[in-house]
Amino acid sequence: MTVTATSVDESDQLEPKAAPGSRLARLVRLVPAAVAALSGVLLYVSFPPRTLWWLALPAFACFGWVLRGRSWKAGLGLGYLFGLGFLLPLLVWTGVEVGPGPWIALVAVEAIFVALVGAGITAISKLPAWPLWAAALWIAGEAVRARVPFHGFPWGKIAFGQADGVFLPLAAVGGTPVLGFAVVLCGFGLYEVVRLALESRRTRVVRRSAATVALLSVAVPVVGALAARALVSDKAEDGTTTVAVIQGNVPRAGLEFNAQRRAVLDYHVKETLRLAAKVKAGKVAKPDVVLWPENSSDVDPYADAQAYTDIDEAAKAIGAPISVGGVVERDGKLYNEQILWDPVKGPTDTYDKRQIQPFGEYLPMRSLLGAINKNWTTMVRQDFSRGTKPGVFTMNGAKIGLVTCYEAAFDWAVRSEVTDGAQLISVPSNNATFDRSEMTYQQLAMSRVRAVEHSRTVTVPVTSGVSAIIMPDGKITQKTGMFVADSLVQKVPLRSSETPATKLGILPEMALVLIAAGGLGWAVAAGVRGRRAGGV
């Protein structure tokens, strides 16, 4: 079968017709742009804190309609509009404390990746089984976005919107790439089913092979997700441990909370002492493991004797090791560090955050930005340094893997803790800077996906909320409110088996990138043959 490129708009006559040059015709030409932007908004609405995960399917169905059969230039523009519609509302929290400038700049850059994917989809939309190639290309775009620029920004991966969805078990099969691929494939497949149905009504001809592929694009992801439920389990394999998640709260929201770091430490000490009193009174089970959030001690306990004494008092009172989130300076370098604090021995182990946040924990291109505006460099006065090793603390016999806040968005950062022996994952976070925005719920959904991906209990201690305990099946069993002092105590399963996703690591993502590359190569070759044939 020979596939040739065509410059004819193959949007399947779904757009209304109008006389050329008329006002209606001009409006009709705006329909694809409007649909692209609104489809992006629809995709955003499918994300937490809403549980409308299924809206991702019509979002990609509409996106497929506006792209199929158009030129790559049109695809570039339509893809950019789709990206803006999706990312502008999704990432609005990035401007909560610093104003709209950084938010808009971030979205403007991230939407470029979506635009390039849109241009690619227009090319492969002319191929047989195009939903397959298009879905793989979307995941390839996510793979690039998770790595560049500045070590990547994976926020907004399709998988992270599926914590409540039927497709979630696929995370255990191949991680976020396979989960996201299934959702996008199903969405594009839905459009193809509708397109072929309308075509058959118009022409009275049924293209069986194309119809079969379209139906499989919808059916295979759903059937695969149902079959993958067998991989999801919350049974204990290595016994259980009783964890306590401490949320001390902060004096007030916003960037200024760092200026009150002594108060933040005091709050977490106070909440731990309050829990210790409940344990002594027999109201709450005694925890084996106590987990504090990121930045719970921005006062360096190695340099400040009072901070050391306060944390030590809390550990002795609760009678269990504490993972303390601290900011420490060592050899002239600043680290975002988790400190294992033993009630008898004091600090015994550390984990330094490896995936640090650009423009939050370090400033890329500092000299250039300083030359443009000196005020920008004051936002991050000193860059944090990166850790180099996974962090797995042994706490009362349980192996706890640390994934600090922003790191939860990165596949490699979570997987490395599990392959290093973690039986439980903790995601200590500090979301106080982002006030009551959707950010904390988006991050919580990531942790739910990670729980299923690696079949581990995931705890989420947050300074200001929402803190939570998540079972290996992705279900939240306990959670706090926002901007309240609270603690969660629960006996949770410890697990050591590895899911296919954990074992395969990056391989599913690489396979989908290769599929996308193969589809693009085929489309380019077909286009060249078509142009040569047209010139004869």
Side-chain angles (χ1 to χ4, degrees), residues 238-243 287-291 321 323 340 349 391-402 420-425 457 492-495:
D238 304 303
T240 60
T241 191
T242 300
V243 298
D288 302 308
V289 172
V290 179
L291 303 168
S323 178
L340 175 54
D349 200 359
V392 179
F393 289 168
T394 300
M395 305 175 72
N396 264 337
K399 294 183 177 180
I400 314 297
L402 286 307
D420 206 46
Q423 299 167 307
L424 179 151
I425 298 170
T457 299
V492 298
L494 297 175
R495 294 177 60 84

Side-chain angles (χ1 to χ4, degrees), residues 356-374:
I356 57 177
Q357 183 183 351
F359 303 101
E361 293 172 304
Y362 79 100
L363 195 63
M365 306 178 296
R366 179 178 290 273
S367 57
L368 175 61
L369 292 175
I372 298 173
N373 188 334
K374 290 184 178 180

Side-chain angles (χ1 to χ4, degrees), residues 339-414:
I339 306 167
L340 175 54
W341 206 286
D342 186 86
V344 176
K345 301 177 182 177
T348 60
D349 200 359
T350 60
Y351 166 64
D352 298 322
K353 188 175 182 180
R354 293 170 292 166
Q355 187 71 42
I356 57 177
Q357 183 183 351
F359 303 101
E361 293 172 304
Y362 79 100
L363 195 63
M365 306 178 296
R366 179 178 290 273
S367 57
L368 175 61
L369 292 175
I372 298 173
N373 188 334
K374 290 184 178 180
N375 291 331
W376 291 350
T377 60
T378 62
M379 294 174 61
V380 184
R381 295 182 182 277
Q382 182 179 352
D383 292 342
F384 279 82
S385 296
R386 299 174 184 274
T388 57
K389 298 178 181 178
V392 179
F393 289 168
T394 300
M395 305 175 72
N396 264 337
K399 294 183 177 180
I400 314 297
L402 286 307
V403 180
T404 306
C405 197
Y406 184 58
E407 293 182 318
F410 294 83
D411 295 348
W412 66 268
V414 184

Side-chain angles (χ1 to χ4, degrees), residues 300-509:
D300 186 346
Y302 299 111
D304 188 295
Q306 188 59 53
Y308 188 106
T309 299
D310 290 345
I311 297 170
D312 207 50
E313 178 190 1
K316 283 179 167 58
I318 197 68
I322 304 176
S323 178
V324 178
V327 172
V328 303
E329 189 170 351
R330 188 168 59 249
D331 300 326
K333 295 180 179 180
L334 203 61
Y335 292 93
N336 186 335
E337 188 167 271
Q338 289 291 312
I339 306 167
L340 175 54
W341 206 286
D342 186 86
V344 176
K345 301 177 182 177
T348 60
D349 200 359
T350 60
Y351 166 64
D352 298 322
K353 188 175 182 180
R354 293 170 292 166
Q355 187 71 42
I356 57 177
Q357 183 183 351
F359 303 101
E361 293 172 304
Y362 79 100
L363 195 63
M365 306 178 296
R366 179 178 290 273
S367 57
L368 175 61
L369 292 175
I372 298 173
N373 188 334
K374 290 184 178 180
N375 291 331
W376 291 350
T377 60
T378 62
M379 294 174 61
V380 184
R381 295 182 182 277
Q382 182 179 352
D383 292 342
F384 279 82
S385 296
R386 299 174 184 274
T388 57
K389 298 178 181 178
V392 179
F393 289 168
T394 300
M395 305 175 72
N396 264 337
K399 294 183 177 180
I400 314 297
L402 286 307
V403 180
T404 306
C405 197
Y406 184 58
E407 293 182 318
F410 294 83
D411 295 348
W412 66 268
V414 184
R415 178 177 179 267
S416 66
E417 311 302 74
V418 178
T419 57
D420 206 46
Q423 299 167 307
L424 179 151
I425 298 170
S426 183
V427 185
S429 303
N430 174 24
N431 299 339
T433 300
F434 306 109
D435 203 7
R436 297 181 181 272
S437 69
E438 294 182 356
M439 180 271 183
T440 193
Y441 300 102
Q442 293 170 9
Q443 189 180 54
L444 186 59
M446 290 180 194
S447 295
R448 294 178 62 191
V449 172
R450 298 305 185 191
V452 174
E453 181 179 11
H454 299 292
S455 195
R456 295 291 188 273
T457 299
V458 176
T459 61
V460 187
V462 186
T463 49
S464 56
V466 173
S467 300
I469 297 175
I470 305 166
M471 290 292 99
D473 60 2
K475 291 183 174 63
I476 297 174
T477 53
Q478 291 191 62
K479 64 179 180 179
T480 68
M482 294 185 74
F483 293 100
V484 294
D486 204 351
S487 60
L488 308 173
V489 179
Q490 184 175 324
K491 182 183 288 187
V492 298
L494 297 175
R495 294 177 60 84
S496 56
S497 63
E498 293 186 351
T499 63
T502 306
K503 293 175 181 176
L504 293 171
I506 197 175
L507 293 179
E509 185 178 61

Side-chain angles (χ1 to χ4, degrees), residues 14 18 59 104 112 137 149 162 166-167 169 245 253 263 275-276 282 286 318 341 351 385 392 410 469 502 504 515 522:
L14 293 178
I104 293 172
I112 293 173
L137 186 57
Q162 296 296 309
V166 69
F167 298 102
V245 171
L275 177 60
K286 185 180 185 302
I318 197 68
W341 206 286
Y351 166 64
S385 296
V392 179
F410 294 83
I469 297 175
T502 306
L504 293 171
I515 290 171
W522 184 7

Side-chain angles (χ1 to χ4, degrees), residues 129 131 185-186 188-194 196 208-219:
L185 176 61
C186 196
F188 285 145
L190 278 175
Y191 162 64
E192 185 69 351
V193 167
V194 172
L196 292 172
R208 296 187 183 277
S209 60
T212 300
V213 170
L215 290 171
L216 287 174
S217 297
V218 176

